[in-house]
Amino acid sequence: MLSQAGESRELVDSLVHQIIHGAKQHYHLLTLRTDTLAVAQFYQSLGFRTHPHWEHTTHHLQLSAATYHP
C-alpha cells in the first residue's frame, strides 16, 4: 500500500504524462515556469531541461525534432 504522498506523486506523474502526450499532437515545445526547487527537480526528473537565457520560462521539454530558439 502506498502512502498518501506516494499516491499523490503517482497521480501527478500520470497527469503530467497525459499533458505531454496530448501536447505532442499539437506542439513542438512544452514550457513552464516554477519558483520552487522541489517542483523544478520533479520536472527535471521527467526530462524537462532548463535554459538560463529564457525570460518567461524556467523549464522546457522538446516534443518534436523541430528546432526552437528563444
Side-chain angles (χ1 to χ4, degrees):
M1 180 176 221
L2 289 173
S3 69
Q4 186 173 356
E7 290 174 353
S8 295
R9 169 65 193 248
E10 282 190 2
L11 177 60
V12 171
D13 282 353
S14 177
L15 290 172
V16 173
H17 284 291
Q18 289 178 29
I19 291 168
I20 292 169
H21 177 73
K24 284 181 179 180
Q25 299 175 27
H26 303 283
Y27 301 100
H28 299 290
L29 185 74
L30 188 59
T31 65
L32 60 92
R33 181 173 189 80
T34 184
D35 59 358
T36 306
L37 179 60
V39 176
Q41 291 171 339
F42 166 73
Y43 283 117
Q44 289 171 353
S45 77
L46 296 176
F48 282 79
R49 303 288 180 245
T50 61
H51 193 289
H53 301 291
W54 289 15
E55 292 183 40
H56 302 290
T57 183
T58 58
H59 293 78
H60 67 279
L61 180 65
Q62 193 75 35
L63 300 175
S64 73
T67 304
Y68 181 82
H69 300 282

